[in-house]
Every structure is written in structure tokens, then in C-alpha cells.
């Protein structure tokens, strides 16, 4: 087998120049880089304005309505023409017609499939041409709508592309309630021309199971080979150490015989086990199954859950943040070779009936894991900006905030390989939706056949990743049947369509191709074959709890439910001032009701909801900057209210997955990290409220409660100090609890008292809790009523900055009076504070470290201090 990669420069042009808006000037010759997308090409050539700035999105909608063509030439040797030749495209978005030497080779029509077309009769020795025609996905969707026997309604927003649910592309490309509408097209992975006489090693799926003998593990291997002819072929499989992450090199020998041996791989890594299998192939798909046995490998763990992590947590409060040891499985057959990650762990998604309803939680290597995480959307609306660096920064930030789980949401995409590789290394459990969201979908034969091949490909492609914990059929499609007039009037018809797609096609392919993992039919869902309303029903399965945002209930409504696993809940904030400057004009747009600022808010009435809650909990700020600050405080408080309570319910509740981690353009949204990569106050708060051993401090039903939550498997005996402090900083009351044990993997109540029994008016003091264990102390503060009712004193904060030898900055802050929700903001300097959203008590200086990102601008100590802005709740009065 030989592979030729067709990357680099193509010439891009519209198929019909009449589709170009008047006044738009395209260069006579426009270069498009592959892998790449058309929007980024036009932007780079200054043919369109920046779609993220102000309201420019409206001016680029024509791009997605237009057909485009990209052409290049390449040379082929006579030797390459021996055997048969094929062209392969992956991440081809979405309707891509392929021409080789002016003859059509095939039509791609699903972004989520891998396409292979034979071009043996089209190639020639010497110079060849390749032309890709990108047909408008919006046009195809509208044409599909005309053929349906009954409508297939879907959720739409102010700016949207119609009928996005009828084409198999990233659904949020068509616009969402946090997303820009950019109907992008292109090819985002290398285009390959393959020469072979035998066939293709398409997939290698693996499972790992402990044998129960001498810490041995059995690797189950299922190779899927597409053969061009009947022939006998030798398949070889080898497991080697990954030198990049192995921290304690081992050289275990294979535990059984056959063709197995220990040797060295070409890249110098130790080969731990090797086996060859001779197979008689038949034309078409062949499945080759075998096993290998590895003795005493390193075990894969979710972030913060390994025995070494847990030991360090009980001493220092933090895991070791060491990456998992991954092994490499190498498979070879007839000139084909595949290398992929391999790791050793057991993983169950447990869902069992119990006295509370039906559980849902992950069990890894026998340990019940509380899923602490966030929802993931595509990391950029422009595919060329979906870089490995961006993936790494976002997933590293997730782990840095004490999270161990991410949900790949069904309105996005099956992600790039780099995403899964990073999750494998960092120990991030993946709840994986299939790519269907917030819609009804067709159930005609052509659509279902297309989806079947999509799901088959993706499950076979991804199932070897140890980080994937669960396959879920869709996001909210079951509930969506009740959203639209058409489906409400003819419910049975749409339920049948749903079942044909979700169970008869998607679920069928998942169960057939990955029986090792749980199939979860929808999110939210009470369990397979249970159609309860899991936006409000809390006893079974996973919930999407949106009553606080969409129904405008107070934050305390989070106390009204006892969920088993919350896979979506969220509260919006406005972007920071530095983020706002990237999309808005300071002279005209810096007002939350300005046309541009509202344009960058896609949730209907979103800014009004934020502002109304200012009045519910806080004194309403008067300046634009203060509103941005308070919105981020409010967002952090909302999510903290939920998580503190739900973690205290452990083991009844075993998951809290925040909506959402990231943004794909600068916008007001539910994210904890802004489009620029800047952490919002929510992300800093998550780092604290998701601490592996931490405090759950809240007031419910008139009682002040403080739980100590222990996510490790080790028992601890911490010291808890509870203080009542007035707003002048005077200590009113204090008590300590030093002899109470917190068993592993549970939550224990340390303090429970009626606020009326404190002897102080609830608007005259706050509760300050300090938890000490090992060498670390963590703290939290609680208002006993709405902060707006409390007479806060001016804290008169003073701070100093010292540049450390490693280039970081040490910031020391002191306050004369209690200071609440203290924000440290480095403005546009790219970096992360060690802590933020502080409570500063008089006489208790707080020290924070700021580290610039790798590509961040380095400043002198004096220059950094000049950039630093410190804001407290009292400052906005």
C-alpha cells in the first residue's frame, strides 16, 4: 500500500459568479489551503469582514448559500498506478462532489462519514487534476424538505439556516442560542490517494479485561479489513509502551505463548506483547478477532482518582496532575498499518433501580466516580481555528478546575482525534452524544441508511479510547416531540419516526459495534424505554435542569430537586470587558441594550434575565463595566448554589455537568471560559466547588448547613471552623469540629443550625467556613440573605505585586473590612490566576499567583500591576 496526501494550495472560486453579492470583490486567483474551509479563505483574502465583529455575521450569510469549487494538480508516477487507486476524504463538509481529471469520482453527502471512491480508471501517469465542488448544504436541506411526506420541525433562532436537521453536518453551524450562524464548508482532514492491491485496514477496536491472575490483563482485538479479493494475509498486532507519558518504565513479558514475544519497536519503545494471525480473506468486509495478554500494566484513571492522586489530595488538597500512561497498539496487514491508544481500566455506566428511583453513575476500576464536568461544543465556528493548541488549552483548563468529565453535545461534531487523545491522557471521562439535537428528524430509508453508515463508522473509529464512558443517542430529541405544533398534533407519527432513527438505527449500530459500553437512548432520559419528563422529574437517570434560567426561578430552586445525574444546567453571564472589546465598538456599543451587544446574545430575553436577577439578589450596578462584573459573579453564584447542594447528596446524586465549558465566538453565554480562552469567574468557582475534598456550604429551609465532601477512597478527619462575622469584620461566634471522620466516596454533614437560632439578624452577618486537612486549608463564605439587604462596608483593599523567578506574579491582598466576590482581572493579558472570586477577611491576607500563558505577553512587575484591576461587590454600589 502507498499513500499520497493532497494537501496545500488549491484555487478557490464560486461555481456561479452571479451568486456573489454586488460590491464583493474576489481576487482573480484565490488560494485555499487544505485542510481548510471556505469562510476562513475568504476572510484571509479580505473578501468578507470578520464575522465575529459587531453584526458582520449578517453580511456573510451568502457564503453558505453559494456553491464553491477548489482545484489543484498533482503528479502520479507510473509505479503508483500498479494495483488499484482510491481517493479518501474525511471531515468533508458536507456535500462535496469529487472530480479527478474532469470526471466525477463520487459525491460526499455526510460530514460525519469517511468517504472512499475508486479512481483507478481516472488517474494517469504524470499530471492529474483534482476538483472539489462544495454544494450549498442549505440548498440541499431546502430541497430535502420538499420531498418529505410530513414536516420535520427543528429549533431555530433569530439568525439561522433552515432545515439544518435534514442534512448530516454539524447542527450548530445553522445557529444556536449561543452560536453564530456560519454554514461552513471545506475538508478539514488530509485528502489521501491510496494505492493498494489487497485492501484496507479500516478499524481496530479493543477491549481490556483483567484476567484475575497475577495482575494480567487481556486485550480483546477486533480488526475490520476491507479486502479487494480473496487472499491469505498475515495480521500482526503489538502492544508497546508510549515513551511520551510512561513515568515508570516496565518490561512485562507476555503471559501466554503462540507467536508472542518481547522485542523493540521501530521507534525504540519496548514491545510488551506481539501476535501474528494468518487469515483467509474474502472480498468485502472481514472481521479478525484475537487476544493479547499483558502482565501488570499501569492502570488508567479519571483525573484525580488514581491511588497516587488520592494520597496526594489528602495531604495537599490537589491531585498530582500526572497524565495517564498510555500504550500503543500497532496493527499491520498487507502493507496497511494503524497505531492507536490503548489503556487498561474497567468502566461501567451503572443504572439500577433503587429506593430513590434509578441510579446513574460511572464506576471505574471498581470505584464509584462523581462526574464533575462541563458540556463541550465545537471550539470554534471557523474550522481552521480548531487547532490542537486550542483543544489542549480548553481540556487542560477543565482538569485544572478539578473536573473529570466532559459531555460531547449532540449538536456539535464527532471530534477530531486530538480531542480524544487528550482526554485519554488527561483522564477525562467522555459522555458522548451522537450528533442529533433539539429536533425531529426524517425516518425515510435514504436518511436512515446514511445515518447507519455514519454511526457505524464513528463507533468503530472511536471505541478504542479508554476515556469514552457512555454512548448517548441524542440531545433532547425525545422532549422535542412536544415542542412543535406539528408533532404535538400527530404525536404517534413523530414517536414512530423517533424510534426508527434513534433505536432502530443509531442504537442498533451502537449496540452491535460497541457492546462493551452502555447505550443511553437520549439526554435527558430516565432510562431506556422510559419516557418521563426529565427536565422536571428527578428520581431516575439524567436531568437537564433549566428551571432557573428558562423558567426564571430563583437560584434556591436548585434545592427543590434530588437528581441522580445532571447532564445539563447552566446560567448565563455577559462577557468580560476585554472580551467585549474584541467584538464591540467602545463608543457606540458599550451598553447591554445596544443593538450590537444584544446581537451577541442569542438566548431570547437573555440579557433581561440577567438584569432581572441583579435586582433579585444584588443592588443594581450603574456602569457598563460593573454590569459585566456582576453578571459573572451572579453566574458563578448560581452554579455554585446547585453544585454545593447536589454534591452534598452523594451517593444519591453522582454527576453535575455544567452547561457549558467553551464558546465558539465572542458572545454572552453559559460558558465558563470565554472565546478568547479567558476564565470567567464561574471557572474559578468550579475549581473550588469541585475540590476533591471540599465544603458544601448553603442555606436551605432556613437552616445553615455545611457538608464535607470526600471524592477520594480514603477516610479523612478534617478540622472545620465555622465563624459568624459581621460586615465590619467583628467575630460574633465561632465553633470548631475536629473529631469527625469523613469516609471515602461520600458526603458528611458537619454543621446544621437554624439561622434564627444564631441570635443575629440574618442581614447583619455572614458565615465563614474553613476546612483544614493534611497540609491544606480551603474556605467558603455564605450570605444568610440576599446580599442587597446587607450593609457592606468599603473594604479598602490594598495589594502588592511581586514578580517571581519563574515569570509568574505573586499578588498579596489585604482588606480593612470584609470584601466579597473579589475579582482579579489582568484585562487582555493572556493567563490564569491561581484563585479568583475571593472573600478577604480583615487580618487574613490572601495570596494569588498569576501565570501568563505560553504565548502570553510578558510584562514587568510595574507594568503588570498597572494592568491589574481589583473589583469587589461593594465597589459597584
Amino acid at each position: 500500500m502507498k499513500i499520497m496526501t493532497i494537501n496545500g494550495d488549491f484555487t478557490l472560486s464560486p461555481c456561479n459568479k452571479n451568486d456573489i453579492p454586488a460590491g464583493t470583490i474576489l481576487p482573480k486567483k484565490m488560494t485555499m489551503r487544505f485542510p481548510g474551509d471556505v469562510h476562513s479563505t475568504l476572510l484571509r483574502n479580505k473578501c468578507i469582514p470578520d464575522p465575529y465583529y459587531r453584526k458582520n455575521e449578517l453580511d456573510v450569510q451568502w457564503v453558505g448559500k453559494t456553491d464553491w469549487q477548489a482545484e489543484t494538480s498533482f503528479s502520479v508516477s507510473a509505479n503508483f498506478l500498479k494495483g488499484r487507486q482510491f481517493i479518501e476524504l474525511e471531515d468533508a463538509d458536507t456535500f462535496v462532489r469529487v472530480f479527478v481529471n474532469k470526471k466525477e469520482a463520487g459525491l460526499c453527502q455526510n460530514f460525519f462519514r469517511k468517504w472512499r471512491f475508486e479512481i483507478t480508471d481516472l488517474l494517469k501517469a504524470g499530471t492529474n487534476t483534482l476538483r472539489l465542488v462544495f454544494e450549498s448544504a442549505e440548498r440541499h436541506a431546502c430541497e430535502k424538505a420538499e420531498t418529505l411526506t410530513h414536516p420535520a420541525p427543528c429549533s431555530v433562532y433569530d439568525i439561522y439556516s433552515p432545515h439544518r436537521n435534514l442534512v448530516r453536518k454539524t447542527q450548530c453551524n445553522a445557529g444556536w442560542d449561543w452560536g453564530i450562524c456560519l454554514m461552513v464548508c471545506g475538508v478539514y482532514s488530509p485528502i489521501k490517494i491510496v494505492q493498494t492491491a489487497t485492501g484496507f485496514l479500516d478499524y481496530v477496536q479493543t477491549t481490556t479485561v483483567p484476567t484475575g491472575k497475577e495482575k494480567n490483563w487481556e486485550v480483546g482485538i477486533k480488526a475490520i479489513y476491507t479486502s479487494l479479493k480473496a487472499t491469505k494475509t498475515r495480521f500482526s498486532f503489538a502492544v508497546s509502551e508510549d515513551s511520551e507519558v510512561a513515568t515508570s518504565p516496565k518490561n512485562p513479558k507476555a503471559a501466554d505463548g503462540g507467536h508472542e514475544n518481547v522485542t523493540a519497536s521501530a521507534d525504540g519503545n519496548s514491545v510488551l506483547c506481539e501476535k501474528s494471525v494468518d487469515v483467509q480473506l474474502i472480498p468485502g468486509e472481514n472481521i479478525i478477532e484475537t487476544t493479547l495478554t499483558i502482565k501488570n500494566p499501569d492502570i488508567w484513571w479519571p483525573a484525580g482518582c488514581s491511588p497516587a492522586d488520592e494520597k496526594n489530595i489528602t495531604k495537599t488538597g490537589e491531585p498530582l496532575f500526572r497524565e495517564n500512561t498510555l500504550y500503543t497498539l500497532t496493527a499491520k496487514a498487507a502493507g496497511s498499518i494503524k497505531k492507536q491508544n490503548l489503556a487498561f481500566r474497567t468502566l461501567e455506566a451503572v443504572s439500577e433501580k433503587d429506593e430513590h428511583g434509578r441510579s446513574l453513575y460511572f464506576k471505574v476500576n471498581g470505584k464509584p466516580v462523581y462526574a464533575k464536568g462541563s458540556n463541550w461544543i465545537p471550539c470554534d465556528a471557523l474550522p481552521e481555528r480548531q487547532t490542537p493548541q486550542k483543544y489542549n488549552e480548553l481540556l487542560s483548563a477543565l482538569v485544572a478546575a478539578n473536573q473529570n468529565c466532559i459531555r460531547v453535545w449532540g449538536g456539535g461534531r464527532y471530534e477530531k482525534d486530538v480531542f480524544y487523545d487528550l482526554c485519554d491522557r488527561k483522564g477525562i471521562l467522555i459522555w458522548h452524544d451522537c450528533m442529533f439535537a433539539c429536533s425531529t428528524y426524517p425516518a425515510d430509508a435514504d436518511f436512515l441508511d446514511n445515518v447507519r453508515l455514519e454511526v457505524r463508522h464513528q463507533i468503530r473509529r472511536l471505541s478504542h479510547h479508554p476515556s469514552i464512558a457512555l454512548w448517548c443517542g441524542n440531545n433532547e430529541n425525545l422532549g422535542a416531540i412536544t415542542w412543535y405544533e406539528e408533532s404535538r398534533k400527530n404525536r404517534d407519527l413523530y414517536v414512530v419516526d423517533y424510534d426508527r432513527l434513534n433505536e432502530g438505527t443509531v442504537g442498533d449500530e451502537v449496540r452491535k459495534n460497541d457492546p462493551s459500553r452502555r447505550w443511553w437512548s437520549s439526554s435527558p432520559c430516565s432510562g431506556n424505554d422510559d419516557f418521563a419528563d426529565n427536565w422536571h422529574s428527578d428520581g431516575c437517570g439524567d436531568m437537564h435542569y433549566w428551571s432557573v434560567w428558562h423558567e426564571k426561578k430563583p437560584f434556591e430552586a436548585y434545592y427543590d430537586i434530588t437528581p441522580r445525574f445532571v447532564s445539563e444546567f447552566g446560567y448565563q453571564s455577559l462577557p468580560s470587558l476585554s472580551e467585549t472589546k474584541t467584538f464591540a465598538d467602545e463608543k457606540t456599543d458599550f451598553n447591554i441594550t445596544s443593538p450590537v451587544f444584544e446581537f451577541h446574545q442569542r438566548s431570547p430575553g437573555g440579557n433581561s434575565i440577567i438584569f432581572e436577577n441583579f435586582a433579585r439578589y444584588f443592588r443594581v450596578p450603574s456602569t457598563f463595566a460593573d454590569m459585566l462584573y456582576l453578571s459573572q459573579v451572579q453566574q458563578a453564584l448560581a452554579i455554585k448554589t446547585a453544585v454545593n447542594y447536589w454534591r452534598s447528596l452523594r451517593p444519591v446524586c453522582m454527576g453535575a455537568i455544567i452547561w457549558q465549558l467553551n464558546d465558539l465566538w465572542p458572545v454572552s453565554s453559559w460558558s465558563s471560559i470565554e472565546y478568547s480562552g479567558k476564565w470567567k469567574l464561574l471557572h474559578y468557582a468550579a475549581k473550588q466547588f469541585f475540590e476533591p475534598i471540599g465544603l458544601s456550604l448553603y442555606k436551605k429551609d432556613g437552616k445553615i448547613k455545611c457538608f464535607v465532601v470526600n471524592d477520594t477512597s480514603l477516610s479523612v478527619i478534617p478540622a472545620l471552623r465555622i465563624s459568624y462575622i459581621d460586615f465590619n469584620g467583628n467575630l460574633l461566634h465561632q465553633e470548631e469540629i475536629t473529631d469527625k471522620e469523613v469516609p471515602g466516596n461520600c458526603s458528611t454533614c458537619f454543621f446544621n443550625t437554624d439561622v434564627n437560632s444564631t441570635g443575629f439578624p440574618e442581614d447583619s452577618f455572614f458565615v465563614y467556613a474553613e476546612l483544614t486537612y493534611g497540609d491544606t486549608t480551603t474556605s467558603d463564605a455564605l450570605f444568610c440573605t440576599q446580599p442587597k439587604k446587607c450593609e457592606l462596608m468599603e473594604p479598602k483593599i490594598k495589594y502588592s505585586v511581586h514578580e517571581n523567578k519563574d515569570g509568574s506574579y505573586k499578588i498579596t491582598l489585604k482588606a480593612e473590612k470584609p470584601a466579597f466576590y473579589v475579582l482579579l482581572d489582568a484585562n487582555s493579558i493572556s493567563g490564569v490566576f491561581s484563585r479568583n472570586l475571593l472573600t478577604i477577611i480583615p487580618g487574613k491576607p490572601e495570596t494569588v499567583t498569576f501565570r501568563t500563558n505560553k504565548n502570553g505577553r510578558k510584562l514587568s512587575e510595574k507594568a503588570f500591576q498597572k494592568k491589574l484591576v481589583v473589583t469587589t461587590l461593594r465597589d459597584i454600589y
Side-chain angles (χ1 to χ4, degrees):
M1 174 179 282
K2 296 179 181 178
I3 298 175
M4 177 187 302
T5 302
I6 312 295
N7 284 343
D9 293 346
F10 284 57
T11 299
L12 179 70
S13 62
C15 293
N16 186 346
K17 293 183 178 180
N18 293 330
D19 292 337
I20 307 303
T24 300
I25 300 175
L26 302 181
K28 290 183 179 180
K29 185 175 181 181
M30 182 162 41
T31 298
M32 179 176 178
R33 298 195 299 251
F34 276 80
D37 68 90
V38 169
H39 281 79
S40 294
T41 301
L42 295 173
L43 183 60
R44 191 162 45 248
N45 284 273
K46 300 181 181 179
C47 302
I48 59 172
D50 179 358
Y52 298 172
Y53 187 67
R54 303 195 81 218
K55 301 171 95 173
N56 288 345
E57 174 189 2
L58 299 174
D59 298 328
V60 302
Q61 291 305 301
W62 64 271
V63 179
K65 304 175 191 291
T66 302
D67 292 351
W68 297 88
Q69 57 187 354
E71 187 167 358
T72 192
S73 61
F74 59 96
S75 182
V76 173
S77 68
N79 190 50
F80 191 84
L81 295 179
K82 295 177 181 178
R84 294 165 67 178
Q85 294 77 37
F86 298 79
I87 187 167
E88 292 184 344
L89 296 94
E90 199 161 8
D91 288 344
D93 193 2
T94 293
F95 294 89
V96 187
R97 205 171 292 274
V98 181
F99 294 86
V100 175
N101 293 327
K102 299 183 179 181
K103 294 182 180 180
E104 184 171 342
L107 171 65
C108 309
Q109 49 189 325
N110 184 330
F111 173 53
F112 306 125
R113 286 172 60 183
K114 181 176 181 177
W115 296 90
R116 178 185 293 144
F117 307 117
E118 184 164 8
I119 57 173
T120 303
D121 296 334
L122 304 182
L123 282 181
K124 61 183 180 180
T127 301
N128 294 258
T129 61
L130 171 63
R131 182 164 64 98
L132 305 177
V133 177
F134 299 96
E135 300 176 356
S136 168
E138 181 170 310
R139 190 186 76 248
H140 274 275
C142 292
E143 290 172 355
K144 175 74 174 178
E146 294 297 320
T147 69
L148 299 180
T149 58
H150 52 275
C154 66
S155 55
V156 297
Y157 300 95
D158 289 344
I159 303 169
Y160 70 97
S161 179
H163 306 297
R164 49 91 179 165
N165 54 324
L166 306 187
V167 294
R168 298 307 299 143
K169 86 183 258 86
T170 299
Q171 297 287 271
C172 65
N173 286 170
W176 220 264
D177 58 358
W178 36 257
I180 188 173
C181 177
L182 288 182
M183 292 291 281
V184 291
C185 61
V187 181
Y188 316 138
S189 291
I191 302 166
K192 298 176 182 178
I193 295 180
V194 180
Q195 178 266 330
T196 179
T198 52
F200 306 87
L201 181 58
D202 287 317
Y203 310 97
V204 180
Q205 297 180 266
T206 55
T207 57
T208 57
V209 180
T211 66
K213 180 182 178 182
E214 297 180 355
K215 297 183 179 180
N216 292 351
W217 284 70
E218 182 178 273
V219 182
I221 298 172
K222 178 182 177 182
I224 301 172
Y225 189 90
T226 300
S227 183
L228 301 179
K229 60 184 179 181
T231 184
K232 190 172 184 179
T233 300
R234 170 161 287 196
F235 286 75
S236 66
F237 306 96
V239 175
S240 59
E241 289 181 335
D242 183 343
S243 61
E244 291 184 22
V245 294
T247 54
S248 54
K250 298 178 180 179
N251 190 28
K253 293 185 177 180
D256 52 17
H259 293 289
E260 301 181 1
N261 53 54
V262 178
T263 181
S265 64
D267 54 14
N269 295 337
S270 297
V271 175
L272 308 180
C273 190
E274 192 172 43
K275 178 183 276 188
S276 298
V277 180
D278 293 325
V279 178
Q280 180 64 49
L281 298 174
I282 61 173
E285 182 174 282
N286 296 260
I287 295 177
I288 299 89
E289 295 183 286
T290 189
T291 61
L292 296 175
T293 303
I294 303 296
K295 184 177 180 181
N296 194 26
D298 288 341
I299 305 303
W300 187 94
W301 286 96
C305 293
S306 73
D309 280 328
E310 292 189 338
K311 185 177 180 180
N312 203 64
I313 287 164
T314 58
K315 183 178 180 180
T316 70
E318 290 190 346
L320 295 170
F321 294 112
R322 285 196 309 201
E323 294 184 339
N324 274 298
T325 298
L326 299 180
Y327 297 83
T328 299
L329 175 69
T330 302
K332 298 178 182 179
S336 295
I337 183 168
K338 290 187 77 70
K339 289 189 176 186
Q340 57 194 40
N341 292 349
L342 177 69
F344 296 87
R345 55 96 178 106
T346 63
L347 194 156
E348 302 172 71
V350 179
S351 181
E352 299 172 334
K353 289 184 178 180
D354 57 24
E355 66 271 28
H356 305 286
R358 180 183 289 276
S359 65
L360 180 62
Y361 65 94
F362 299 130
K363 183 187 287 187
V364 183
N365 301 321
K367 172 185 168 63
V369 175
Y370 195 102
K372 303 178 290 188
S374 297
N375 281 265
W376 173 271
I377 65 171
C379 63
D380 209 295
L382 291 169
E384 283 191 23
R385 298 183 184 180
Q386 296 173 2
T387 62
Q389 179 184 349
K390 183 168 286 190
Y391 281 100
N392 185 54
E393 288 174 354
L394 287 169
L395 293 174
S396 294
L398 181 99
V399 173
N402 287 312
Q403 299 182 46
N404 58 24
C405 186
I406 198 157
R407 174 174 174 242
V408 177
W409 168 72
R413 58 164 295 174
Y414 303 95
E415 273 297 347
K416 296 183 178 183
D417 291 340
V418 64
F419 173 88
Y420 302 98
D421 290 341
L422 287 166
C423 289
D424 290 348
R425 291 185 184 279
K426 295 178 183 297
I428 301 171
L429 293 167
I430 301 174
W431 170 305
H432 209 304
D433 286 1
C434 296
M435 295 302 116
F436 306 88
C438 300
S439 299
T440 64
Y441 282 87
D444 60 89
D446 287 346
F447 189 85
L448 296 183
D449 288 346
N450 195 4
V451 166
R452 182 175 293 280
L453 293 174
E454 162 196 326
V455 176
R456 184 180 301 169
H457 165 62
Q458 293 294 346
I459 300 301
R460 289 176 170 184
R461 169 192 163 226
L462 298 173
S463 63
H464 68 276
H465 287 283
S467 52
I468 296 177
L470 171 150
W471 296 113
C472 177
N474 61 74
N475 175 77
E476 299 185 351
N477 285 0
L478 180 60
I481 295 172
T482 68
W483 296 354
Y484 313 112
E485 183 179 0
E486 300 95 330
S487 53
R488 286 195 298 268
K489 285 182 176 179
N490 202 346
R491 181 181 182 276
D492 290 350
L493 174 64
Y494 286 89
V495 169
V496 169
D497 283 355
Y498 173 86
D499 186 65
R500 285 175 177 167
L501 172 65
N502 198 66
E503 296 297 332
T505 304
V506 179
D508 183 55
E509 285 298 320
V510 171
R511 288 186 288 263
K512 285 178 179 176
N513 288 283
D514 191 5
S516 69
R517 289 182 175 88
R518 177 174 290 278
W519 157 253
W520 194 250
S521 62
S522 183
S523 184
C525 175
S526 293
N528 294 346
D529 301 320
D530 188 330
F531 300 99
D533 172 18
N534 267 37
W535 279 267
H536 300 93
S537 178
D538 61 351
C540 300
D542 73 307
M543 285 191 77
H544 289 190
Y545 190 66
W546 283 105
S547 296
V548 171
W549 176 259
H550 288 300
E551 298 173 25
K552 303 180 183 180
K553 290 186 177 182
F555 298 164
E556 291 75 18
Y558 288 121
Y559 301 151
D560 295 340
I561 61 170
T562 305
R564 312 310 304 272
F565 192 113
V566 188
S567 50
E568 271 192 30
F569 67 106
Y571 200 87
Q572 277 202 359
S573 75
L574 309 176
S576 66
L577 188 60
S578 59
E579 189 82 356
T580 301
K581 290 177 180 178
T582 67
F583 69 83
D585 186 299
E586 188 168 355
K587 294 180 180 179
T588 58
D589 305 332
F590 277 27
N591 187 298
I592 68 168
T593 59
S594 73
V596 165
F597 203 77
E598 289 191 334
F599 188 81
H600 285 253
Q601 164 63 273
R602 293 303 163 87
S603 180
N607 289 356
S608 296
I609 296 172
I610 292 170
F611 194 82
E612 287 169 15
N613 255 7
F614 286 169
R616 177 180 273 164
Y617 291 101
F618 302 100
R619 300 186 186 184
V620 177
S622 57
T623 71
F624 180 66
D626 288 347
M627 288 181 183
L628 303 184
Y629 155 77
L630 188 59
S631 78
Q632 296 209 3
V633 169
Q634 185 169 261
Q635 179 192 35
L637 178 61
I639 303 307
K640 176 183 176 182
T641 300
V643 173
N644 274 355
Y645 178 57
W646 295 340
R647 285 191 76 195
S648 76
L649 299 176
R650 179 177 183 151
V652 175
C653 177
M654 286 295 289
I657 311 298
I658 300 165
W659 185 270
Q660 66 209 63
L661 178 69
N662 56 307
D663 282 323
L664 50 66
W665 75 311
V667 66
S668 297
S669 82
W670 296 272
S671 73
S672 65
I673 300 177
E674 295 181 330
Y675 172 71
S676 64
K678 185 175 185 176
W679 290 22
K680 292 183 181 178
L681 287 178
L682 169 57
H683 207 72
Y684 288 106
K687 184 178 180 181
Q688 181 181 32
F689 61 61
F690 278 144
E691 286 176 328
I693 300 175
L695 294 164
S696 286
L697 176 66
Y698 56 89
K699 177 191 163 192
K700 179 179 184 288
D701 299 329
K703 292 188 175 182
I704 302 167
K705 298 186 178 186
C706 187
F707 285 73
V708 177
V709 181
N710 181 7
D711 288 334
T712 77
S713 301
L714 306 174
S715 295
V716 293
I717 303 177
L720 177 67
R721 177 184 296 153
I722 298 286
S723 303
Y724 302 162
I725 303 173
D726 70 19
F727 296 108
N728 279 302
N730 299 312
L731 180 63
L732 306 177
H733 171 79
Q734 190 173 85
E735 55 186 273
E736 294 191 25
I737 303 156
T738 59
D739 56 355
K740 198 165 189 175
E741 182 179 4
V742 185
N745 300 314
C746 79
S747 174
T748 303
C749 185
F750 268 53
F751 186 80
N752 184 0
T753 191
D754 195 303
V755 70
N756 294 324
S757 69
T758 63
F760 308 105
E762 61 183 13
D763 62 353
S764 68
F765 76 103
F766 64 98
V767 180
Y768 189 68
E770 296 171 280
L771 181 73
T772 301
Y773 59 94
D775 301 329
T776 190
T777 297
T778 186
S779 62
D780 199 6
L782 175 72
F783 284 92
C784 297
T785 186
Q786 295 99 322
K788 68 179 182 180
K789 295 181 179 180
C790 303
E791 292 299 330
L792 306 185
M793 301 293 107
E794 290 188 24
K796 298 181 179 178
I797 285 184
K798 295 181 179 179
Y799 60 90
S800 60
V801 174
H802 173 74
E803 186 174 3
N804 297 318
K805 291 182 179 179
D806 62 0
S808 63
Y809 303 94
K810 176 183 175 183
I811 306 153
T812 303
L813 304 99
K814 300 177 182 179
E816 293 184 14
K817 304 290 184 182
F820 301 97
Y821 305 129
V822 180
L823 163 70
L824 284 76
D825 189 353
N827 284 290
S828 59
I829 303 173
S830 179
V832 176
F833 293 94
S834 57
R835 293 185 299 138
N836 218 325
L837 196 65
L838 309 174
T839 301
I840 304 179
I841 306 298
K844 286 182 174 286
E846 296 287 344
T847 300
V848 176
T849 301
F850 179 82
R851 297 183 185 278
T852 58
N853 293 336
K854 288 183 178 179
N855 299 323
R857 187 156 45 106
K858 302 293 184 183
L859 297 176
S860 67
E861 183 179 298
K862 185 177 180 180
F864 175 77
Q865 182 154 356
K866 189 175 181 179
K867 284 278 188 181
L868 182 66
V869 175
V870 178
T871 305
T872 77
L873 182 61
R874 181 61 178 80
D875 296 339
I876 71 171
Y877 283 12

